[in-house]
Amino acid sequence: MSAPANPNKALWEKGDFTRIADTMRESGEALVRRLGITKGLKVLDLGCGDGTTALPEARVGADVLGVDIARNLVEAGNRRVAEAGLMNIKFQEGDATNLEQLPDKSFDLVVSIFGAMFAPKPFDVTKEMVRVTRPGGRIVMGNWIPNDPTLVAQILKISSNYTPPPPEGFVSPMTWGIESNVIERFVAAGVSADKISFARDTFVFNYGGTPSAFVDEFRKYYGPTMNAFEAAEKKGRAAELQKELEALFNSQNKSQDGTSIPATFLRVTVAV
Ligand SMILES: C[S@@+](CC[C@H](N)C(=O)[O-])C[C@H]1O[C@@H](n2cnc3c(N)ncnc32)[C@H](O)[C@@H]1O
């Protein structure tokens, strides 16, 4: 008998997140430069995608393991590693809610930028992140913020108006952008609240085409937007969704000859 489908895995394998990740590389590199990574540091990049932060971590000398639930993104990450000729990084499949393949206290730094926030069961996620971090180590998360006026929070908000209500018991990934929720989840995993700090940070999406063409990339390749369009099409509302997203992308664009859109996120740092 085959195992029941995992909707979390199916969502991220559905599209091709590499198309969106390609527009996030500069911010990924800049964020890694701010993390103070030293040569030989053991880093777990969780929900690593195709390595927007994981490759820069390896380039500054860390020993990096990238873990992601989506098989296609793990394969894409390993291809990028081979192309870059990096020997100190590898990617493997895994689920942030259950990292059973990883021993306790095995990483100096666990990084999860817009990654673990998308896993279900947030209390299992903090338990696992804390378990694999060595005492004296650090966890850094990047989480989108609910109702923030900038790009990603607004894409997810607009999309939710077109999709059916989630199943009972579903915890929205956006709750990871609320400080009190983050504190509650890490405290439940045994971290003292005074070891958790927060900062607002920015990722910039840089795309060579127009904002409307960038909306099309999300429509074709970004799992959550693909689902929103599928639901909207069933109700004959796809054109309305397209229009709302184009208005959003155009109003937030800062570039004259392409697309450059900043998006605010909550950076969480936990001292373990
Ligand atoms: C928005 S992408 C971000 C990827 C990458 N961190 C980046 O910044 O480009 C979200 C990533 O989280 C991964 N993900 C979602 N749920 C996960 C889970 N339960 N365990 C591990 N990875 C997960 C997805 O497959 C996807 O690669």
Side-chain angles (χ1 to χ4, degrees):
M1 247 176 51
S2 61
N6 175 341
N8 174 220
K9 181 174 168 70
L11 173 70
W12 291 99
E13 288 182 346
K14 182 177 182 127
D16 182 4
F17 185 72
T18 66
R19 300 289 292 241
I20 309 299
D22 269 343
T23 71
M24 301 164 73
R25 303 297 188 212
E26 287 156 32
S27 289
E29 283 163 21
L31 174 60
V32 168
R33 280 197 295 273
R34 298 197 292 278
L35 293 182
I37 291 174
T38 46
K39 195 167 163 20
L41 202 77
K42 287 197 181 342
V43 176
L44 169 65
D45 196 309
L46 189 56
C48 56
D50 69 350
T52 291
T53 49
L55 265 77
E57 287 152 10
R59 284 201 181 96
V60 294
D63 286 331
V64 182
L65 176 64
V67 168
D68 198 282
I69 201 162
R71 176 187 301 233
N72 54 334
L73 297 176
V74 167
E75 287 169 357
N78 278 324
R79 274 197 302 276
R80 293 184 70 224
V81 165
E83 280 159 21
L86 290 163
M87 307 303 285
N88 51 335
I89 170 169
K90 68 170 184 175
F91 288 66
Q92 68 187 42
E93 272 182 68
D95 186 337
T97 64
N98 181 358
L99 297 170
E100 60 191 355
Q101 73 274 42
L102 304 181
D104 294 357
K105 305 175 185 166
S106 43
F107 295 95
D108 301 303
L109 173 64
V110 174
V111 176
S112 191
I113 305 303
F114 325 128
M117 68 170 287
F118 288 104
K121 303 190 200 145
F123 286 91
D124 290 2
V125 170
T126 51
K127 193 172 123 232
E128 285 297 78
M129 287 198 293
V130 171
R131 180 183 66 76
V132 301
T133 308
R134 71 160 173 82
R138 236 184 332 154
I139 299 169
V140 176
M141 289 185 88
N143 300 334
W144 300 119
I145 302 166
N147 295 317
D148 185 84
T150 61
L151 188 75
V152 183
Q154 289 301 314
I155 296 175
L156 296 173
K157 188 173 178 186
I158 290 170
S159 300
S160 73
N161 293 331
Y162 292 82
T163 42
E168 212 180 299
F170 175 82
V171 181
S172 165
M174 298 305 282
T175 57
W176 275 106
I178 300 168
E179 295 181 15
S180 57
N181 285 337
V182 176
I183 292 170
E184 186 190 14
R185 291 165 188 176
F186 277 106
V187 166
V191 173
S192 127
D194 62 353
K195 304 280 185 193
I196 307 165
S197 58
F198 300 97
R200 300 270 153 156
D201 208 335
T202 303
F203 245 62
V204 180
F205 292 77
N206 289 318
Y207 176 71
T210 62
S212 298
F214 196 28
V215 171
D216 289 337
E217 293 284 294
F218 275 81
R219 184 172 181 165
K220 282 196 222 134
Y221 301 112
Y222 182 62
T225 312
M226 293 166 76
N227 278 353
F229 270 103
E230 275 170 28
E233 267 155 26
K234 285 194 190 127
K235 294 187 211 140
R237 296 180 65 203
E240 201 185 320
L241 174 54
Q242 177 84 24
K243 202 170 151 205
E244 265 202 80
L245 290 176
E246 284 187 17
L248 170 72
F249 282 52
N250 278 295
S251 67
Q252 306 238 341
N253 182 28
K254 306 276 185 242
S255 167
Q256 301 300 319
D257 53 1
T259 303
S260 180
I261 305 181
T264 306
F265 66 96
L266 182 68
R267 181 148 53 90
V268 179
T269 305
V270 179
V272 175

